[in-house]
Amino acid sequence: MGIPLWTREKVAARILAGENLFILRDQVIRIPQSWLEAHPGGALAILHFVGRDATDEVSAFHSDDTQRRMKGYAVGAVEVGDYGWEPLLPPVMSGWVRKMGKDGKQRWYNEASTVHSSVNTERSPSSQILLVKADSFAAELEGPTLESLQCGPSPLSAKTQAQHSAAYKALHKRVTDAGLFKTRYITGYGPEVVRYTMFATIAAIAYSKGWLVTSAFFLGLFWHQLTFTVHDLGHLGVTHVWTIDRLIAIFLADFFGGLSVGWWVDVSILLLKFIIFC
């Protein structure tokens, strides 16, 4: 027996009830709270796609194995139409978040108010949303409404957005088929390891001879160059396995550089958050 067919209204109703749902290849994926809290990309990366089609983003940032596992969280199917799924506005984009209340239950909190453009131009579309943090907030009795989940007008038509998505998929396939996502350990990171070793060796020799300025210079080069590899590891760009890349990054960044790679990844994700068009 296949999974049931859901309407857009049912998806919206379940989101208003507090469920985190997104669309993945015409299937409705339900994200458990435990998954939301443990997501390597942070909770906001998921919350900003609640009610939306996240197929392109999931394909770009997740391994094939992870995507296969996601199918186990499908609770329904939807009809996406010729121009794709008609998106809902994620509650977090209008300032609504779910938090644990004093009674131990998850409740809606309104942490910010929304400000929309008063005009609808290419430079300032009315779909653009600016969140203004509230001075204080408390649990709300009702939470977001069906009306608040509706997207405003966009300067891009559904047809144009579908064309952009199709163009991205074609480009992604070309890059994948060319093997550009595969890490070249010998020709790619081999020269890097040689360079790091050379800088570290020169720094150690200079220090042993009392040439402190020279030692400090090459030690700085060693640390500076090492950050590029840590950057790749932080973005799962080396082995593409979260556990392995993170452990290597912790060893290099925390012990050699004195920098918490977990903190850096979290901060970089926050810096990449910008105004999202629906």
Side-chain angles (χ1 to χ4, degrees):
M1 183 177 179
I3 56 179
L5 184 66
W6 285 28
T7 63
R8 186 171 181 271
E9 289 71 23
K10 182 174 181 178
V11 174
R14 297 289 283 269
I15 291 174
L16 293 176
E19 295 188 34
N20 296 309
L21 308 171
F22 66 79
I23 309 303
L24 178 63
R25 299 184 184 89
D26 73 15
Q27 290 189 334
V28 182
I29 306 297
R30 180 181 180 276
I31 301 96
Q33 189 65 27
S34 58
W35 181 5
L36 188 69
E37 296 172 352
H39 185 236
L44 282 177
I46 294 177
L47 293 177
H48 274 286
F49 277 93
V50 169
R52 304 170 67 189
D53 190 331
T55 301
D56 291 346
E57 288 72 18
V58 169
S59 299
F61 296 107
H62 299 80
S63 66
D64 292 339
D65 181 60
T66 299
Q67 294 182 54
R68 283 192 293 269
R69 293 185 182 184
M70 287 185 188
K71 294 180 180 179
Y73 293 89
V75 293
V78 293
E79 295 181 351
V80 296
D82 294 336
Y83 300 138
W85 167 257
E86 183 182 355
L88 295 164
L89 186 71
V92 72
M93 291 178 64
S94 55
W96 291 99
V97 295
R98 298 279 291 180
K99 289 186 176 182
M100 193 70 70
K102 294 181 179 179
D103 56 359
K105 296 181 180 180
Q106 289 280 335
R107 296 187 179 279
W108 285 110
Y109 285 78
N110 190 227
E111 293 189 340
S113 57
T114 59
V115 178
H116 295 262
S117 172
S118 59
V119 295
N120 187 30
T121 64
E122 184 176 351
R123 291 181 60 87
S124 183
S126 59
S127 59
Q128 180 174 288
I129 301 173
L130 176 65
L131 294 180
V132 180
K133 185 177 180 180
D135 294 332
S136 61
F137 50 87
E140 302 287 343
L141 296 177
E142 297 182 359
T145 63
L146 182 60
E147 182 180 1
S148 69
L149 294 185
Q150 306 308 313
C151 295
S154 171
L156 294 178
S157 66
K159 181 179 180 180
T160 300
Q161 294 181 54
Q163 291 172 340
H164 288 178
S165 178
Y168 163 76
K169 289 182 175 69
L171 177 60
H172 187 270
K173 186 177 186 304
R174 286 177 56 194
V175 173
T176 302
D177 292 344
L180 298 181
F181 286 133
K182 296 180 179 179
T183 302
R184 293 177 171 84
Y185 295 104
I186 303 300
T187 59
Y189 284 100
E192 298 295 313
V193 173
V194 172
R195 181 162 56 249
Y196 303 157
T197 303
M198 180 185 69
F199 288 150
T201 301
I202 294 175
I205 294 174
Y207 181 80
S208 67
K209 293 182 177 296
W211 304 338
L212 300 185
V213 174
T214 302
S215 176
F217 175 76
F218 281 98
L219 184 63
L221 289 179
F222 168 70
W223 185 88
H224 177 269
Q225 292 296 300
L226 204 61
T227 57
F228 290 105
T229 297
V230 173
H231 171 273
D232 294 346
L233 290 163
H235 289 291
L236 308 185
V238 180
T239 69
H240 310 297
V241 178
W242 187 89
T243 302
I244 298 176
D245 277 7
R246 182 54 61 89
L247 287 175
I248 298 174
I250 289 173
F251 176 74
L252 295 178
D254 294 34
F255 291 99
F256 282 99
L259 173 70
S260 169
V261 71
W263 170 85
W264 176 83
V265 170
D266 289 342
V267 170
S268 66
I269 290 173
L270 290 175
L271 292 177
L272 290 174
K273 299 303 177 185
F274 48 83
I275 296 175
I276 298 178
F277 293 90
C278 190

